[in-house]
Amino acid sequence: MATSESRPYRLLGGRIPYVEGPLKVTGRAEYTDDIQRPGMLVGRVLRSPWPHATIRAIDVADARALPGVSAVLTGEKYPTPFGVLPITHDETAIAVGKVRYIGDIVAAVAARDERTAEEALARIRVDVEPLPDYPDPESGTRPVAVPIHARGLNGTNIQKEVVQHFGDVDAAFAQAAYTARVRGTFAGVTHAFTEPLVTVAEATPDGRLTVWSATQVPHYLHRALSEVLGIPLHRIRVVKPEVGGGFGGKSDPLPHEIVCAALAIETGRPVKILFDREDVFYTNHGRHPTKNDIRIALDANGQILAYDIEATIDGGAWSSFGTVTTYYNGVLSMGPYRVPNFRYKGRRVYTTKPPSGAMRAHGGTNLRYSIEVALDELAETTGIDPFDLRARNALPSDSTTVNQFHIGSTSFLACLAAARERSGWDAKFRRLPYGRGVGLGCGFYISGSNSPIHFTPKMPQSTVHLKVDMDGGIAVHSMQADIGQGSNTLLAAIVAEVLGVDLDRVHVQRVDSDVSPIDLGSYSSRVTFMMGNAARAAAEELRGYLLDAAAELLGTPVGELEVGPERYQRRSDPSSSVTFLEALHKAMERRGALTASGSYQTRPMGGSFKGARAGTAPAYSFAAYVAEVAVDVETGEYRVEKIWAAFDCGRPLNRLAVEGQIEGSIHMGLGQVLGESMNYRGDRLLNPSLLEYKIPMPQQMPEVEILLVGADDPDGPFGAKEAGEGPLIATLPAVGNALYDALGVRFPELPITPDRVLRGIDQRRAKGVAWKGS
Amino acid sequence: MHLDAFELHRPTSVDATVRLAGELAGRFDFLAGGTDLLPNYKMHLNLKPHLIALEDVGELHGHAGDRIGAMCRLADLEADAAFLDRYPPLADAVREVATPLVRASGTVGGNLLVETRCFFFNQSYFWRASLGFCLKADGDQCHVVPQKERCYATFSGDLAPALMALDAEVEIAGPSGRRRHPVGALYDTAGDGIQRVTLRPGELVVAVHLPPGAAHQRGRYKKLRVRPSYDFPELGVAVAGVWDDGRVSELRLAVGGVDPHPRRFDDLTDALVDHAPSEERVRALGEEVARRVRPVHNTFLQADYRRRMVAVYVRRALAEAREPVAA
Amino acid sequence: MSPSAPVRFRLNGQPAEAPCEAPTILLDLLREQLRLTGTKRGCDLGTCGCCTVLVDGRPTLSCLTLARLVDGHEVTTIEGVSPAQGLSPVQRAFVELGATQCGFCTPGFIVTATALLRDHPHPTRAEIERAVSGNLCRCTGYRKIVDAIETAARGGT
């Protein structure tokens, strides 16, 4: 593999098995549904069967009268709106006044068991006046009879509109030698994590509320609970057990989490809400169904002159991260190529469907597909090889984009070179027989957001606390959320690396808001970068105390010491050393158990125009993927045989985890190509099940060759950048462009199911234009 | 998800089962492997107050010679390569059912009688209630082909087409004793997605019998689906026959996944017997089968695509049966 | 049997007995009554494989199994395939090769893989893929899972 194997670090850069692995392979890891509290009740929600309706009355008397029912809740009890973005609080825990999609929560009950709870739900009578429904975002861009939300722009269902223009796009197109246009259509897809949504809550007589939940962002849940329930933050304790996958779907504070807490308060007893799989599909917050329209202008040399981008984004019933989504669907086009002129008009429109939100590679995926397909078209038109065209336009390191993103490190050219060489591109492109093809797709993604959702922009985005007592075990506290991506392992490894100790000394503590300092959790690919820097800072503080003590024991200036394995030693004479425990015990003489704290905050960045901070990040990841496909041209069925995945995540700190993220991202990205799709008839979701929502099977996974070619990022912890989301993006256009190479057919609509492939083949044949001898 | 209350019966003989089935007529379902029935029960689809578990009826289990018990687990057939090698279309079909975990519990009889499927039927009670239910459960309206008379739910078993192509028979026990008839006669071709089988009250499928001539016939079962696991057939085509020097001396073709019941096309295949069918005739056969089936859009892939694939899959199944490719 | 008769079976090598009603599902019996929470509930409809256990040695969807029908049979859960100390070879391979991420599907995979390797000690990669194609993993893209099972079959890392 063309990877940088230099190992200046003892642990980091190696393959570090996940610290919780032994618990997970034995079934001993504790997830939220495994929590059992004495006297716990079962919470259940009643969902709206109407896509849009005014609630006239809800009669809960019969439900309350049912023996075994402890509480029945409706929306007016906790009407305070919330939402993940402070500027778009448009959700309520339970519908207040109206319902907005089939699946909206209308009421909730807590009862002694599941059967009683369901019987109680069946006894609730909801009297409604149906309203016109709006399953289609296009129709909602004009004034409508009854807007889904009062906050829709000018009587429409538009939740957010973004218009940005840098440079002069019209002039650029006027002087362009070549242009291409792709109009992409993307079905909604969803996270489909294996652990269903689940929350346990308990209100205790000391006036405190404890909430255990399957969440990616314990801190946002903490805040939403406080706001909606009217309880100060310090009287709420949020605990994150192991989380069975998130991919963005557990990053919003979700209504059922608040409902569960409310039921616990009402009843005075612990309550668990465990969602059925169908409930999870209704909760959704997955990738938005999108239509985009991308125009690219090139000069005669193949230099990109301009992008002109429009997007219409189907938001579903709530805002969620939608304002960010609307920006991202434009501004995440600002890499990996230099784009001197840029215009974007994006609209996110409320519809009477399950809410869309953030899903892995949020905002960057559908946009990138259309761009990379358009570039593939331009490569063909200009006769420039797709690799050369991209290399010619690559952004350099330490550069600034037209919308003032600062690009620190980029190894994009190295990604291109590695993917080209390893895939045998030059021997394959347009040279494989009809039905076989290779395609190039590239990627670009933020490594954390400079514009976090936070109390004030001045507070650190991540804080890590360390405590070590005489036993030499190091407890690590942070609200970073391991959801399977390996952040606990990385946190432990960074601390161990800095202190020079064995990994098994470091114990990452379960996230518990009573003791964990705030980190903003697992979203926007921020954890390695931000938590990593905070952890490094904390560990360096602790190391300072230990080195001071070691210096005292050795009678040597601190500056002469270095860190060895489980010891601190003279640089000039490593045999002159003290062990970690000797240094620790010496250091403790003065102050008892040692504690240290580290934090990370991004520096100010971005322009001063409206929306300037959207997409600003302390670093960006880059990718160049080649996919090779084989198509059955008679049935339209195809197989992705191999993907060469060249990725720039800076320095990979845990190769096992980076590979796992890339392979998992490819699998998820492939799903969106092969058949994952939330299928609607009107506003009715037809396939809310893991049987009919088509996640790829192991036999559909291609061979994957991972090429980690990133150079150290100057601001990343030990040179690292993100590897959790960016690796998804390039998968989709690589396959789409490979299908073009195989068939001479463009597929601007995802997923690319066999029936669509066959239709494309037919259409090309009907035109009578041959392709590679067919 | 829980199951609503029902009474569970565990007869230990076929006679006792038949007796019980007579007593409970119309108020029970048989429980075989449970992988089809229990998801449907969890979704509150046509619940009955009694379940008769067939687990303890010894006669229904196992397979030997040319007989397969109705309660024979698909995984047990799958594990018996020597047996399956004699019946290539059945081998293909067994290996393609659902997932290994479903095949571990799922049975031969259960797959033959698998409930017909439709996007508007295989949904939770909440989902169906929000649409006002459908003909097949709790309602009076079809949402696929809007009308109130006929259910278009699709037959989604894999084994039936293969067994029909092999000319297998089912052995049925009932109040008036045992009877045997071709597998295809299990299905009510005059019925629809609701009235789908010809079993009389109190009857149950006891076993499948493969005719002596079936062993070592050439054949294939080809299944169209989005994923190589989990998915029910969007189309299943089975062929079995005898070729002598390229000349067809016996040929049968059965298709599932596109109608409310699996079908054979004997008039079309009989016309090929005693011929060495040209590519042209084989193609014409596939196209005629495609013309006769009536897929509707109630599964994942578009109906017109599934119909088109009938022609391709028929042609390929015939070609691969004639010239078996090494597995 | 009366509405709530005890079901008697062997559970992880020990005799077990629990009252259960006719509609009680094995997964509920294991998780809710017997508190064996290693077996996971991912979909309740047989579509994820997180709830896989062995019934008489056969990988089985416990969410689609009536508890009463295991009366007299042998049930082995993830707790039962895990050694008292340390890890089994396939568990060790899962840890060392990073075949777990979120871990929620992992017990089901381990149970399935344990049975596979018992019956087919030297499976091909294709056989492994096929054998685990009823267990859904959303994190790993399956590659490291298949690697781990292959590695365990070869005798470890």
Side-chain angles (χ1 to χ4, degrees):
Chain A
M1 286 203 304
T3 54
S4 55
E5 294 289 354
S6 62
R7 283 282 304 277
Y9 305 114
R10 200 169 45 91
L11 287 167
L12 298 174
R15 308 174 71 79
I16 313 166
Y18 303 119
V19 290
E20 70 289 343
L23 299 181
K24 287 179 173 173
V25 298
T26 52
R28 302 284 278 273
E30 189 181 53
Y31 298 81
T32 303
D33 187 32
D34 302 336
I35 291 169
Q36 193 72 33
R37 302 290 304 162
M40 189 162 73
L41 300 169
V42 171
R44 272 280 190 279
V45 299
L46 182 69
R47 295 189 179 277
S48 165
W50 308 281
H52 197 196
T54 303
I55 300 171
R56 285 210 205 94
I58 304 180
D59 180 354
V60 299
D62 283 359
R64 285 221 168 96
L66 185 68
V69 172
S70 297
V72 182
L73 266 184
T74 52
E76 69 280 357
K77 184 78 187 271
Y78 295 101
T80 306
F82 70 97
V84 67
L85 300 187
I87 50 170
T88 54
H89 280 192
D90 62 4
E91 290 189 59
T92 50
I94 300 176
V96 177
K98 67 189 280 194
V99 291
R100 295 177 171 86
Y101 73 103
I102 297 172
D104 211 353
I105 298 176
V106 185
V109 303
R112 67 182 165 212
D113 57 28
E114 187 182 322
R115 257 172 245 194
T116 309
E118 290 191 356
E119 169 65 23
L121 293 182
R123 289 172 171 225
I124 296 174
R125 281 183 296 278
V126 185
D127 180 21
V128 302
E129 181 180 341
L131 298 171
D133 61 336
Y134 303 102
D136 162 35
E138 300 286 346
S139 67
T141 60
R142 297 177 294 278
V144 294
V146 187
I148 298 166
H149 285 273
R151 62 185 303 139
L153 295 176
N154 308 318
T156 70
N157 285 328
I158 297 174
Q159 179 248 318
K160 175 68 184 175
E161 187 162 51
V162 172
V163 179
Q164 289 188 332
H165 193 174
F166 300 97
D168 187 339
V169 166
D170 290 329
F173 271 87
Q175 58 169 283
Y178 306 98
T179 64
R181 179 175 194 176
V182 169
R183 275 171 276 205
T185 300
F186 304 84
V189 291
T190 199
H191 323 84
F193 31 74
T194 48
E195 180 205 27
L197 296 167
V198 52
T199 301
V200 173
E202 182 169 3
T204 41
D206 56 0
R208 301 205 71 208
L209 171 71
T210 301
V211 176
W212 298 260
S213 198
T215 177
Q216 294 176 232
V217 189
H219 179 58
Y220 293 168
L221 172 59
H222 198 184
R223 285 168 62 176
L225 288 166
S226 171
E227 285 167 23
V228 178
L229 301 173
I231 301 173
L233 283 164
H234 70 272
R235 286 207 278 121
I236 302 173
R237 173 178 170 229
V238 172
V239 182
K240 182 203 76 78
E242 294 296 340
V243 172
F247 315 110
K250 294 170 179 170
S251 56
D252 294 66
L254 294 169
H256 72 274
E257 295 175 300
I258 298 167
V259 169
C260 188
L263 289 170
I265 292 166
E266 292 288 309
T267 60
R269 288 170 64 179
V271 177
K272 178 188 287 181
I273 292 184
L274 168 66
F275 270 1
D276 289 343
R277 187 51 62 172
E278 183 178 357
D279 291 306
V280 177
F281 274 90
Y282 292 139
T283 309
N284 189 32
H285 291 73
R287 193 176 325 291
H288 293 67
T290 304
K291 282 190 196 306
N292 59 31
D293 184 347
I294 311 272
R295 293 196 309 137
I296 300 180
L298 290 190
D299 72 10
N301 298 319
Q303 291 291 334
I304 293 170
L305 293 175
Y307 283 177
D308 194 3
I309 296 174
E310 288 191 21
T312 302
I313 302 160
D314 181 346
W318 306 116
S319 283
S320 179
F321 281 93
T323 297
V324 177
T325 315
T326 316
Y327 280 110
Y328 277 8
N329 268 272
V331 301
L332 292 185
S333 68
M334 288 291 97
Y337 317 113
R338 187 195 294 279
V339 181
N341 300 285
F342 167 71
R343 182 165 58 200
Y344 172 55
K345 183 178 178 193
R347 289 180 300 201
R348 182 180 185 272
V349 188
Y350 291 121
T351 56
T352 44
K353 292 194 296 205
S356 301
M359 178 167 158
R360 198 179 207 171
H362 173 208
T365 304
N366 297 341
L367 165 72
R368 178 60 45 190
Y369 182 79
S370 294
I371 288 176
E372 294 292 319
V373 168
L375 288 173
D376 204 57
E377 267 189 49
L378 286 165
E380 187 174 33
T381 312
T382 57
I384 303 171
D385 178 272
F387 273 95
D388 293 333
L389 179 64
R390 285 164 173 89
R392 208 171 280 190
N393 285 284
L395 280 168
S397 288
D398 198 16
S399 61
T400 302
T401 66
V402 67
N403 68 337
Q404 297 179 53
F405 289 176
H406 178 252
I407 306 299
S409 68
T410 162
S411 298
F412 181 55
L413 287 173
C415 290
L416 287 171
R420 185 173 195 159
E421 189 211 322
R422 293 297 306 166
S423 66
W425 175 266
D426 292 313
K428 290 177 180 167
F429 181 63
R430 295 292 189 269
R431 293 180 184 193
L432 296 171
Y434 179 65
R436 288 193 73 91
V438 288
L440 169 63
C442 297
F444 166 78
Y445 205 65
I446 55 170
S447 186
S449 169
N450 173 56
S451 184
I453 305 149
H454 214 335
F455 285 92
T456 81
K458 289 185 178 161
M459 282 195 188
Q461 291 212 46
S462 179
T463 303
V464 171
H465 286 174
L466 306 178
K467 181 230 91 180
V468 53
D469 212 323
M470 46 79 65
D471 60 328
I474 301 153
V476 185
H477 292 280
S478 175
M479 222 182 279
Q480 62 78 32
D482 194 319
I483 55 173
Q485 81 278 42
S487 61
N488 281 353
T489 306
L490 184 64
L491 182 48
I494 288 174
V495 171
E497 181 77 49
V498 171
L499 297 177
V501 299
D502 293 342
L503 193 58
D504 68 3
R505 287 194 183 278
V506 187
H507 313 303
V508 177
Q509 303 299 301
R510 170 175 283 197
V511 170
D512 177 340
S513 63
D514 275 3
V515 289
S516 312
I518 292 171
D519 170 288
L520 297 182
S522 288
Y523 74 106
S524 74
S525 267
R526 55 177 297 287
V527 182
T528 291
F529 203 96
M530 300 191 182
M531 172 207 80
N533 275 319
R536 182 180 195 162
E540 283 174 352
E541 183 194 332
L542 192 61
R543 187 180 62 189
Y545 305 141
L546 295 166
L547 286 174
D548 284 346
E552 195 178 331
L553 286 169
L554 290 168
T556 237
V558 170
E560 307 237 320
L561 294 181
E562 63 177 16
V563 175
E566 287 268 321
R567 60 204 312 113
Y568 305 107
Q569 59 205 29
R570 279 209 175 104
R571 211 171 265 121
S572 54
D573 174 17
S575 69
S576 170
S577 68
V578 296
T579 66
F580 163 72
L581 280 180
E582 287 164 346
L584 171 67
H585 293 160
K586 180 72 190 167
M588 285 181 62
E589 285 173 7
R590 268 178 245 139
R591 46 187 298 192
L594 304 185
T595 59
S597 175
S599 65
Y600 174 79
Q601 173 61 310
T602 54
R603 53 189 154 66
M605 56 183 77
S608 53
F609 52 91
K610 184 169 190 238
R613 292 178 70 197
T616 55
Y620 297 90
S621 68
F622 296 86
Y625 286 13
V626 171
E628 183 165 344
V629 302
V631 187
D632 181 331
V633 298
E634 204 175 20
T635 65
E637 295 167 292
Y638 60 98
R639 184 174 156 69
V640 180
E641 298 198 328
K642 182 157 182 180
I643 288 182
W644 290 267
F647 196 75
D648 167 19
C649 59
R651 175 182 298 275
L653 298 185
N654 181 358
R655 282 177 185 271
L656 206 62
V658 169
E659 288 171 10
Q661 288 301 304
I662 292 176
E663 289 167 1
S665 287
I666 287 173
H667 175 251
M668 193 173 279
L670 211 53
Q672 196 180 347
V673 181
L674 294 177
E676 287 185 33
S677 165
M678 292 180 76
N679 293 332
Y680 290 93
R681 182 192 259 200
D683 15 44
R684 191 176 310 277
L685 182 60
L686 287 175
N687 56 341
S689 72
L690 293 177
L691 178 61
E692 296 300 342
Y693 183 81
K694 307 291 188 184
I695 295 169
M697 292 290 100
Q699 299 98 318
Q700 291 169 283
M701 264 304 275
E703 191 184 333
V704 175
E705 186 171 328
I706 294 169
L707 308 161
L708 300 177
V709 296
D712 280 5
D713 183 87
D715 299 323
F718 307 91
K721 301 189 287 190
E722 75 94 20
E725 304 189 64
L728 183 146
I729 296 172
T731 312
L732 293 75
V735 176
N737 290 336
L739 286 170
Y740 184 78
D741 186 42
L743 304 169
V745 179
R746 292 286 173 206
F747 296 99
E749 182 171 4
L750 296 185
I752 310 173
T753 46
D755 44 349
R756 287 181 179 156
V757 173
L758 202 55
R759 199 181 314 140
I761 291 172
D762 284 350
Q763 284 164 358
R764 179 165 186 115
R765 286 204 176 126
K767 286 188 209 142
V769 189
W771 181 257
K772 297 204 299 191
S774 76
Chain B
M1 297 175 89
H2 66 272
L3 294 169
D4 280 358
F6 52 76
E7 198 174 327
L8 181 66
H9 305 268
R10 300 182 66 171
T12 54
S13 71
V14 169
D15 285 350
T17 306
V18 168
R19 212 160 39 240
L20 198 53
E23 287 165 19
L24 300 173
R27 294 181 292 135
F28 78 94
D29 275 311
F30 286 121
L31 175 69
T35 53
D36 184 40
L37 187 81
L38 295 182
N40 287 353
Y41 265 47
K42 286 185 173 184
M43 295 198 273
H44 294 253
L45 287 163
N46 298 331
L47 304 183
K48 304 281 170 50
H50 298 269
L51 281 191
I52 302 178
L54 301 174
E55 178 70 35
D56 301 336
V57 184
E59 186 190 336
L60 303 181
H61 285 273
H63 68 284
D66 59 6
R67 178 190 180 279
I68 310 172
M71 281 295 287
C72 178
R73 312 274 175 187
L74 298 173
D76 288 337
L77 277 190
E78 199 178 356
D80 188 347
F83 178 82
L84 283 186
D85 282 351
R86 291 154 60 194
Y87 309 106
L90 181 62
D92 291 340
V94 166
R95 292 172 182 140
E96 298 254 318
V97 173
T99 72
L101 288 163
V102 168
R103 297 195 293 274
S105 298
T107 64
V108 168
N111 194 263
L112 283 177
L113 296 172
V114 70
E115 188 57 85
T116 52
R117 300 185 62 83
C118 176
F119 264 143
F120 298 89
F121 170 71
N122 297 100
Q123 302 284 3
S124 70
Y125 188 87
F126 164 78
W127 195 101
R128 292 179 295 116
S130 75
L131 191 61
F133 301 104
C134 82
L135 265 180
K136 191 167 163 64
D138 308 311
D140 64 356
Q141 171 73 42
C142 176
H143 303 283
V144 182
V145 180
Q147 40 78 49
K148 293 173 185 290
E149 308 301 321
R150 184 177 163 78
C151 168
Y152 284 82
T154 300
F155 178 78
S156 302
D158 288 301
L159 264 52
L163 290 169
M164 286 163 70
L166 288 165
D167 239 355
E169 292 190 330
V170 281
E171 178 183 343
I172 292 163
S176 46
R178 304 268 172 135
R179 62 189 178 106
R180 272 169 73 152
H181 63 53
V183 168
L186 255 186
Y187 305 102
D188 186 349
T189 52
D192 65 357
I194 297 167
Q195 177 49 50
R196 57 199 188 85
V197 291
T198 55
L199 289 172
R200 299 170 201 143
E203 287 189 329
L204 74 150
V205 172
V206 171
V208 170
H209 295 268
L210 288 148
H216 302 299
Q217 287 198 4
R218 292 182 191 169
R220 281 309 301 269
Y221 173 74
K222 291 189 74 71
K223 175 174 179 175
L224 172 68
R225 51 176 165 174
V226 178
R227 303 180 290 181
S229 186
Y230 275 110
D231 298 346
F232 283 92
E234 299 272 343
L235 162 69
V237 174
V239 297
V242 178
W243 278 261
D244 300 311
D245 268 351
R247 180 176 294 269
V248 174
S249 58
E250 215 182 295
L251 185 65
R252 285 167 307 277
L253 164 72
V255 175
V258 278
D259 286 303
H261 49 81
R263 296 167 65 179
R264 251 169 62 167
F265 296 88
D266 290 355
D267 60 320
L268 302 178
T269 48
D270 285 352
L272 296 187
V273 169
D274 293 331
H275 290 86
S278 64
E279 228 172 82
E280 196 50 45
R281 289 197 67 167
V282 170
R283 185 178 297 274
L285 168 69
E287 279 164 13
E288 178 58 18
V289 175
R291 202 184 61 74
R292 290 189 190 181
V293 300
R294 290 278 173 274
V296 292
H297 187 38
N298 64 351
T299 65
F300 192 83
L301 294 169
Q302 298 292 323
D304 57 348
Y305 174 77
R306 286 156 63 212
R307 179 197 294 278
R308 181 167 169 184
M309 285 305 100
V310 172
V312 178
Y313 274 56
V314 165
R315 185 158 40 77
R316 289 186 177 182
L318 274 165
E320 290 174 26
R322 197 180 137 182
E323 308 285 349
V325 281
Chain C
M1 277 194 250
S2 64
S4 189
V7 53
R8 294 185 184 85
F9 60 114
R10 286 186 72 79
L11 177 59
N12 297 330
Q14 298 290 324
E17 183 175 321
C20 77
E21 298 171 9
T24 302
I25 291 283
L26 179 58
L27 175 62
D28 294 327
L29 175 68
L30 294 171
R31 280 188 62 85
E32 311 300 330
Q33 279 177 255
L34 301 172
R35 302 296 305 141
L36 288 172
T37 53
T39 304
K40 297 303 178 197
R41 185 193 305 275
C43 76
D44 254 341
L45 292 168
T47 56
C48 73
C50 294
C51 69
T52 307
V53 300
L54 301 177
V55 176
D56 298 337
R58 179 196 296 266
T60 300
L61 293 161
S62 64
C63 76
L64 298 185
T65 301
L66 292 186
R68 280 203 180 163
L69 294 185
V70 303
D71 194 80
H73 293 266
E74 169 111 38
V75 174
T76 310
T77 65
I78 181 66
E79 290 86 355
V81 303
S82 304
Q85 279 89 36
L87 303 174
S88 73
V90 73
Q91 288 172 326
R92 200 175 315 119
F94 266 61
V95 171
E96 288 173 1
L97 298 185
T100 64
Q101 284 186 29
C102 85
F104 198 77
C105 70
T106 306
F109 272 96
I110 294 289
V111 170
T112 297
T114 301
L116 171 72
L117 294 176
R118 177 199 61 206
D119 297 340
H120 303 279
H122 304 292
T124 65
R125 210 172 163 86
E127 285 167 346
I128 296 170
E129 287 179 354
R130 201 177 133 71
V132 300
S133 66
N135 294 83
L136 202 67
C137 172
R138 189 56 159 167
C139 295
T140 63
Y142 297 100
R143 295 195 55 82
K144 293 196 186 302
I145 290 173
V146 178
D147 289 347
I149 297 171
E150 211 176 18
T151 301
R154 278 204 313 265
T157 42

